[in-house]
Amino acid sequence: MPIAIIDGRELEFPAGERLNAIQAAERVGIQVPYYCWHPGLTVAGSCRMCLVEAGTRNAATGEISMMPKLVPGCNTPVRDGVVIVTQSEKVQQARAMVEEDLLLRHPIDCPICDKAGECLLQDYHFKYGQDERRADIRPFTSRRRDVGDVTLFVDRCILCSRCVRFCREISGTSELTVVHRGAHEEIDVAPGFPLHNNLSGNVVDLCPVGALGDKDFLYRQRVWYLKRHQGICTGCATGCSIWVEENQDRIHRLKPRENPQVNQWWICNEGRYSYPHVHNDRRLAQPRRRDTQAVVDLDWTTLPAELLQRLREAGRLAAVLSPYLSVEEAYLLATLVRGVDPEARLILGPVPVIGEDERFPNGFTVSAEKCPNRRGVEEIIARFQSGRITTFDAFPSQLKGGRIGGVWFSGGYKKENWIEDEKVRSLTALKLLVVQDLFPSAVSALATYELPGAAFAERDGSYVNRNDHLQSVRWAVRPPYGVRPEGTLYWEMLGRPGLYNARAVLNELAAEIPYFHVAGGPVPDVGVNLKVNLLAEQPEEIGVRS
Ligand code: FES
């Protein structure tokens, strides 16, 4: 194996692996500061914050010869025998000079800057900058310019060009560019061509200082009040890994979480700004029973037993399993209705599809299928129904003839009008209709029992994306008072002891259903691919569908 020497420490790395000095240093626990480099973008080498000393060791004699000048670590490939020095006095001086230069023109408006608290310029100044400012230029404010989807604070920009490269290489839209020359260089857009694409929010994450502001988040929270939780975007079937950032159970922003197997470093705007429904005042927050005329508010303490009783009395049952349910919840609901009626029909809930997949030049795809877990729910249904999956379109015909007496309808849709009138009409003759959803809808208006459901950030569970990649997360915010997450209710109704334990359910699933087998072991933060495992271990189990 090739060996490089970083600050006197030997780093072995696989032959053929492409590493630069920043990445190699990180492997041995040394941080090299940088602004313009990003692992997902081409190398610009413009900020010079990553300067290091570099040289080579002669394999035969062991003699080390260093280059006379400092080199940018981001653009220095590490090969066998390369020697990198990141902590010498020469390097420290260079970093301090870069910091001083950047701060010459950078306004000191940190008290009103959104980036304060997570700003690399701030952090590096304290770590690598010099104590005193030698220049007497003291800019305090920044010009602000609307460039489309985001706000540009022109004078805060350090010209790292990450946002420009992102628009060229990842979104492929090239709206942002550098205009003027020398000390007058600025980021801007061409007149009449604002920054407007479905990935534009990522430029705010990429900006190492506060030059690009997210219009949605601007001046809403100081970042040090935010707590971040691992989450999964439920906006489409891509299932991007995200951070859910909240303060006191209120989500303030969603950010991409690096996952090389799903979304790399990016998320789309659709997913990024999809959280407001979680805090919408119109959400259902009170379980209710609709008797002949009156609507009665119910208490969660006695409700599970009452629901069980009504299910037993309803005759033939059916359950609509929403593609917004986690696999654990879908499994528990299927177990519950099949426990009451072993012949109960399991139906896949409506799968919202809007337009076509949106593909970007680097391969990032926003799915047309706007739900997070169709694949997972399908596998659960297939297991209970010997491979047969009933889609929601076939549901009204199943209800004809009045053989089905009771239906449990799980929703979780982010909009109120997610079901067509014609399908609603088919539900009117039922003896029992239990609807669990986020918002009032045409179906909940008919429900015998209207139960409030939890939003994506309020529940534990796992989702399987369009590529059979399973990811598990825990809740990030508590649901509104009066809401009980689906998994908790099913767990209680099944008479399981203690609190709802999604991990225990996933283990059960892994033991019972070959598709989920690999999820029985530890699931890493980036998730696991179920199909790869299944193809390798259980080829005969695939393809049972009708
Ligand atoms: Fe290397 Fe900017 S990170 S020059």
Side-chain angles (χ1 to χ4, degrees), residues 34-37 45-48 50 72 74:
Y34 57 88
Y35 290 113
C36 69
W37 180 72
S46 62
C47 73
R48 303 323 243 194
C50 65
C74 62

Side-chain angles (χ1 to χ4, degrees), residues 238-458:
T238 302
C240 293
S241 300
I242 54 169
W243 291 111
V244 179
E245 299 196 346
E246 55 86 25
N247 180 17
Q248 298 190 339
D249 291 325
R250 192 154 196 103
I251 301 172
H252 288 283
R253 63 180 182 184
L254 304 182
K255 286 198 156 252
R257 176 161 58 91
E258 184 183 339
N259 187 340
Q261 296 171 52
V262 179
N263 53 308
Q264 297 183 307
W265 299 269
W266 329 116
I267 54 171
C268 70
N269 289 359
E270 247 173 86
R272 183 184 296 267
Y273 304 119
S274 67
Y275 66 88
H277 74 278
V278 177
H279 306 297
N280 191 313
D281 290 342
R282 283 191 47 78
R283 267 185 70 177
L284 298 174
Q286 172 67 51
R288 292 196 177 97
R289 183 180 59 233
R290 197 168 277 104
D291 289 334
T292 35
Q293 288 305 321
V295 177
V296 185
D297 286 355
L298 299 168
D299 187 340
W300 280 113
T301 48
T302 53
L303 190 52
E306 185 179 327
L307 285 169
L308 257 185
Q309 186 56 31
R310 293 293 297 267
L311 284 176
R312 287 190 188 116
E313 292 164 2
R316 173 87 333 128
L317 295 180
V320 177
L321 273 58
S322 163
Y324 283 90
L325 289 178
S326 67
V327 288
E328 293 87 346
E329 290 163 341
Y331 174 72
L332 289 180
L333 179 55
T335 310
L336 175 67
V337 292
R338 280 287 170 116
V340 177
D341 172 15
E343 299 288 305
R345 301 278 158 76
L346 301 178
I347 293 114
L348 177 66
V351 176
V353 176
I354 301 175
E356 292 186 350
D357 288 355
E358 188 180 6
R359 290 179 197 281
F360 290 89
N362 78 324
F364 186 92
T365 303
V366 182
S367 300
E369 189 178 294
K370 301 299 178 195
C371 56
N373 201 23
R374 175 187 54 82
R375 282 293 298 120
V377 173
E378 270 182 0
E379 288 295 332
I380 304 277
I381 296 176
R383 195 61 184 180
F384 278 88
Q385 296 190 150
S386 317
R388 190 166 40 84
I389 295 167
T390 313
T391 62
F392 195 68
D393 285 337
F395 184 45
S397 63
Q398 302 247 332
L399 290 174
K400 274 184 195 153
R403 281 186 301 126
I404 291 177
V407 173
W408 188 296
F409 217 117
S410 63
Y413 297 87
K414 295 175 184 175
K415 291 185 182 150
E416 302 182 19
N417 54 347
W418 52 268
I419 184 165
E420 301 116 44
D421 289 349
E422 159 218 338
K423 298 215 171 92
V424 177
R425 277 195 291 278
S426 64
L427 298 164
T428 47
L430 290 168
K431 218 153 96 191
L432 172 72
L433 176 62
V434 182
V435 177
Q436 213 170 6
D437 208 348
L438 288 175
F439 293 100
S441 66
V443 193
S444 70
L446 293 177
T448 328
Y449 286 89
E450 181 188 83
L451 309 178
F456 74 98
E458 297 162 355

Side-chain angles (χ1 to χ4, degrees), residues 63-114:
E63 210 173 283
I64 290 176
S65 59
M66 300 299 286
M67 283 194 254
K69 289 189 178 177
L70 298 177
V71 293
C74 62
N75 207 15
T76 302
V78 172
R79 300 197 185 94
D80 189 31
V82 160
V83 178
I84 303 287
V85 177
T86 73
Q87 306 295 335
S88 67
E89 205 185 322
K90 211 166 151 186
V91 172
Q92 310 275 18
Q93 271 177 4
R95 287 174 186 168
M97 281 195 287
V98 171
E99 275 297 294
E100 189 177 18
D101 178 53
L102 291 175
L103 284 167
L104 270 183
R105 290 167 297 277
H106 187 88
I108 315 301
D109 61 350
C110 306
I112 57 148
C113 177
D114 256 9

